[in-house]
């Protein structure tokens, strides 16, 4: 006897839906521990500089307008005078009006942060190189694995794989959530805790779609960039001297201020974010001045760079993101998109909030899975039941996920010591 068409269609529909459920569960549940770790560290990495500032009251200063700050060169000279034998490698602009200049240097083989008052130019104090920002950067970016294999940085590669799991979760969610487009205004109102969390999971997922798409795109871009070698960004080199002033007997700070003045010839309204010092131990040290200009939007500061002599302030090369081709522009836009730095604190706070929501989706998805098991077994979801069954539900993937997560916390203190 042949199967009734309606029953056959129903069976095929459930079978198809179960495949999407299994894929969604594979990506979201079995890798949930590692995904949650990457999401949480990435979320707090957005505000890591601000967290470091909060944890160090000694560097809090009265709000100082940018027009009232000492020059970059004065901050640099102040640090050099305070640490005359130190090798300065970088100087960063204050992250906000109540923060100091941040100078990175090596003193007697010890790398550290030195903080310079933005109004007086005096050294406020110093801090360890291994701070909260460094921990989050190295855990989120590479889970403290610095080794490479055939040119591929293993830690970065493993973290970038999470973009594939996130993409699978995104795609499958459209099949398991029927008529999802009607759910934006369907506020969570489940009668039980399980039903409420299920509603909340779907509702947050819908409103986070734009953010998830951005994280998938940027993560996949990081992944392919790790596997494919691209030529360096284009830059222009100069043989002529663009400065108009006497360059004899300049301090390193005076040379930097002159280089920044000269950089206006290349970048209109150039807003310097940080300066790197290159070749300090060689005969021709260089400044690499990075920042933002009005000629190109959504650009990492690396895209707008000026190189100048650290002895004379003479420009020797420059890079202008507005002249880049499509591939280079996509590449240089990835960091601002991934961390939400392109719009100041408006976008940074937006990325931080939605990063927390994305982390919550990973946890709530595990709870939904465990609550369904409890419903089948007619049991309540207690804390012990949740831990036991979520751990079991992760399958064999739980062991490498746990190992990579724990390794980050073990390796960081080893780096500090």
């Amino acid at each position: 006897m042949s199967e009734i068409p309606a029953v056959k269609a129903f069976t095929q529909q459930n079978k198809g839906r179960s495949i999407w459920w299994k894929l969604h569960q594979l990506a979201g549940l079995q890798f949930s521990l590692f995904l949650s770790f990457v999401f949480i560290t990435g979320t707090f990495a957005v505000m890591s500089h601000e967290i470091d500032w909060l944890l160090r009251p000694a560097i809090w200063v009265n709000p100082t307008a940018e027009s009232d700050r000492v020059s970059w060169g004065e901050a640099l000279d102040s640090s050099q005078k305070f640490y005359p034998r130190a090798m300065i490698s970088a100087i960063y602009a204050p992250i906000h009006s109540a923060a100091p200049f941040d100078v990175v240097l090596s003193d007697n083989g010890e790398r550290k942060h030195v903080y310079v008052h933005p109004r007086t130019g005096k050294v406020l104090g110093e801090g360890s190189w291994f701070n909260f920002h460094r921990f989050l950067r190295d855990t989120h970016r590479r889970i403290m694995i610095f080794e490479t294999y055939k040119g591929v940085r293993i830690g970065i590669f493993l973290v970038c794989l999470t973009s594939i799991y996130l993409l699978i979760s995104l795609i499958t969610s459209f099949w398991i959530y029927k008529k999802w487009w009607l759910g934006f205004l369907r506020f969570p109102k489940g009668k039980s805790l399980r039903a409420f969390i299920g509603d909340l999971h779907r509702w947050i997922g819908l409103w986070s779609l734009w953010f998830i798409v951005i994280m998938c795109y940027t993560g996949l871009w990081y992944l392919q960039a790790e596997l494919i070698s691209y030529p360096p960004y284009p830059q222009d080199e100069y043989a002529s001297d663009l400065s108009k002033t006497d360059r004899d007997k300049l301090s390193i700070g005076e040379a930097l201020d002159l280089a920044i003045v000269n950089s206006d010839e290349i970048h209109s309204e150039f807003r310097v974010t940080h300066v790197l010092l290159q070749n300090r131990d060689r005969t021709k040290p260089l400044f690499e001045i990075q920042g933002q200009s009005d000629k190109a939007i959504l650009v990492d500061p690396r895209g707008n760079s000026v190189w100048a002599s650290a002895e004379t302030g003479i420009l020797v090369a420059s890079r202008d993101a507005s002249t880049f081709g499509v591939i280079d522009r996509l590449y240089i836009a990835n960091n601002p998109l991934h961390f939400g730095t392109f719009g100041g604190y408006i976008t940074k706070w937006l990325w931080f909030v939605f990063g927390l929501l994305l982390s919550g989706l990973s946890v709530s998805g595990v709870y939904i899975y465990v609550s369904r098991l409890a419903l089948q077994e007619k049991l309540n979801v207690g804390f012990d039941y949740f831990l036991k069954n979520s751990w079991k539900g992760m399958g064999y993937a739980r062991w490498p996920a746990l190992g990579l997560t724990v390794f980050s916390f073990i390796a960081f203190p080893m780096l500090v010591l």
Side-chain angles (χ1 to χ4, degrees), residues 380-392:
N380 294 322
V381 183
F383 184 72
D384 292 339
Y385 185 91
F386 175 79
L387 287 181
K388 176 183 176 181
N389 286 279
S390 59
W391 176 253
K392 184 178 178 181

Side-chain angles (χ1 to χ4, degrees), residues 4-257:
I4 301 174
V7 175
K8 183 178 180 180
F10 178 77
T11 303
Q12 290 176 344
Q13 180 182 0
N14 280 349
K15 183 179 179 180
R17 189 181 183 188
S18 67
I19 293 174
W20 295 112
W21 269 110
K22 288 177 181 178
L23 284 173
H24 194 76
Q25 180 177 303
L26 174 67
L29 173 64
Q30 297 199 12
F31 296 98
S32 59
L33 180 60
F34 189 52
L35 284 171
S36 298
F37 179 69
V38 172
F39 294 160
I40 292 171
T41 53
T43 297
F44 283 93
V46 173
M47 292 293 183
S48 58
H49 288 295
E50 287 76 10
I51 294 173
D52 271 326
W53 176 81
L54 284 173
L55 294 176
R56 293 178 176 175
I59 63 173
W60 297 354
V61 299
N62 291 328
T64 303
E66 188 172 351
S67 58
D68 294 331
R69 292 176 187 168
V70 297
S71 70
W72 284 80
E74 289 177 89
L76 185 58
D77 276 341
S78 180
S79 302
Q80 193 72 82
K81 290 177 182 177
F82 203 85
Y83 297 91
R85 298 181 180 178
M87 185 74 70
I88 298 175
S89 58
I91 176 171
Y92 295 85
I95 57 174
H96 51 65
S97 62
F101 284 96
D102 183 359
V103 181
V104 178
L105 54 80
S106 295
D107 187 27
N108 293 324
E110 180 186 359
R111 204 171 189 188
K112 63 180 70 175
H113 293 268
V114 173
Y115 303 103
V116 178
H117 197 290
R119 188 185 298 270
T120 66
K122 294 182 178 180
V123 173
L124 294 171
E126 62 183 48
S128 170
W129 168 249
F130 294 101
N131 52 20
F132 194 75
H133 165 73
R134 181 55 46 186
F135 169 75
L136 287 173
R137 174 182 171 81
D138 289 337
T139 51
H140 177 70
R141 189 173 184 230
R142 60 176 80 227
I143 47 177
M144 293 294 173
I145 299 176
F146 295 86
E147 288 74 16
T148 62
Y149 177 73
K150 294 184 177 180
V152 176
R153 292 169 291 185
I154 298 173
I156 296 177
F157 175 77
L158 291 174
V159 171
C160 289
L161 286 178
T162 59
S163 61
I164 297 178
Y165 312 143
L166 185 60
L167 181 62
I168 293 173
S169 297
L170 173 65
I171 293 173
T172 55
S173 64
F174 293 118
W175 269 265
I176 64 178
Y177 186 12
K178 300 301 179 181
K179 296 184 179 180
W180 56 269
W181 56 89
L182 300 177
F184 284 97
L185 299 179
R186 191 179 296 159
F187 299 102
K189 55 181 179 181
K191 295 181 179 179
S192 65
L193 180 61
R194 183 190 69 83
F196 178 78
I197 291 181
D199 288 349
L200 186 64
H201 181 83
R202 289 183 288 271
W203 188 70
I204 291 177
L206 284 174
W207 284 101
S208 301
L209 282 176
W210 66 273
F211 184 75
I212 296 171
V213 169
I214 290 176
M215 292 303 107
C216 287
Y217 165 76
T218 54
L220 289 172
W221 187 270
Y222 286 131
L223 179 61
Q224 64 84 29
E226 197 61 32
L227 300 174
I228 301 174
S229 296
Y230 288 93
Y233 298 124
Q235 67 183 49
D236 297 319
E237 297 185 1
Y238 304 101
S240 59
D241 178 6
L242 298 182
S243 64
K244 306 297 182 183
T245 59
D246 183 9
R247 300 180 304 278
D248 295 333
K249 299 180 181 180
L250 296 179
S251 69
I252 188 172
E254 291 171 335
L256 175 57
D257 284 339

Side-chain angles (χ1 to χ4, degrees), residues 214-327:
I214 290 176
M215 292 303 107
C216 287
Y217 165 76
T218 54
L220 289 172
W221 187 270
Y222 286 131
L223 179 61
Q224 64 84 29
E226 197 61 32
L227 300 174
I228 301 174
S229 296
Y230 288 93
Y233 298 124
Q235 67 183 49
D236 297 319
E237 297 185 1
Y238 304 101
S240 59
D241 178 6
L242 298 182
S243 64
K244 306 297 182 183
T245 59
D246 183 9
R247 300 180 304 278
D248 295 333
K249 299 180 181 180
L250 296 179
S251 69
I252 188 172
E254 291 171 335
L256 175 57
D257 284 339
L258 183 57
I260 291 175
V261 170
N262 289 336
S263 68
D264 286 337
E265 299 283 342
I266 309 300
H267 297 296
S268 60
E269 300 296 326
F270 195 37
R271 299 177 293 279
V272 179
T273 58
H274 56 281
V275 178
L276 307 178
L277 276 77
Q278 303 173 347
N279 304 334
R280 285 300 309 274
D281 55 343
R282 300 179 185 176
T283 56
K284 295 182 179 181
L286 291 174
F287 295 122
E288 182 180 350
I289 306 169
Q290 299 182 357
Q292 300 288 353
S293 75
D294 293 333
K295 293 191 290 184
I297 61 172
L298 204 60
V299 170
D300 187 273
R302 293 174 298 165
N304 298 312
S305 298
V306 172
W307 286 265
S309 167
E311 296 176 334
T312 65
I314 298 174
L315 300 192
V316 297
S318 69
R319 178 186 294 150
D320 186 350
S322 66
T323 64
F324 286 6
V326 175
I327 298 299

